[in-house]
Amino acid sequence: MNFTLLVTVVLTALIFVPLVITIARLIAPRSYNPQKLEPYECGIPTRGKSWMQFRVGYYLFAILFLMFEVETVFLFPWAVVTGEMGVAGICSVLFFLFILILGLAYAWRKGALEWK
């Protein structure tokens, strides 16, 4: 029974997906306009080259911010149910915070948080 269901799903996917893509390409409106290929920046025409190279420090700083922001968001559900968790729950929160602080110390030690 499960094998039949799997074969049915796979065959449906192999037939349906290319069919839908082909139909979409056939009926989609086409507009070959050189202006359509230009980079768009809030309606303001670009000056100079549109592709600029940014220092890797910006990306590293942004990734570190997102990483610590997402990890901090995980603390909110724990804060809501702190009374129900018991000692094991509190220990897991403290371990999580220890790993978070360890990562922050590592990034700080490596100089990833310095804005040069």
Side-chain angles (χ1 to χ4, degrees):
M1 174 98 174
N2 289 335
F3 181 72
T4 308
L5 181 63
L6 178 67
V7 170
T8 305
V9 169
V10 170
L11 285 177
T12 303
L14 290 176
I15 294 170
F16 186 70
V17 171
L19 179 69
V20 170
I21 290 174
T22 305
I23 291 172
R25 286 190 180 183
L26 290 175
I27 64 173
R30 291 178 185 87
S31 172
Y32 301 106
N33 188 346
Q35 190 177 20
K36 186 177 180 182
L37 299 176
E38 290 182 11
Y40 180 73
E41 187 68 32
C42 301
I44 301 171
T46 57
R47 283 184 253 148
K49 290 180 15 177
S50 298
W51 295 99
M52 295 185 300
Q53 188 173 9
F54 291 101
R55 287 184 25 211
V56 73
Y58 295 123
Y59 297 112
L60 182 62
F61 200 80
I63 288 172
L64 282 172
F65 173 76
L66 287 175
M67 181 179 69
F68 286 113
E69 183 71 22
V70 168
E71 288 177 352
T72 306
V73 167
F74 285 127
L75 292 176
F76 287 110
W78 275 329
V80 171
V81 293
T82 301
E84 302 169 8
M85 289 191 309
V87 176
I90 299 298
C91 288
S92 68
V93 171
L94 290 176
F95 181 71
F96 180 78
L97 285 174
F98 174 72
I99 297 294
L100 186 66
I101 292 168
L102 197 65
L104 181 61
Y106 177 77
W108 194 344
R109 180 87 171 157
K110 288 291 187 178
L113 302 177
E114 294 177 12
W115 200 259
K116 298 176 187 176

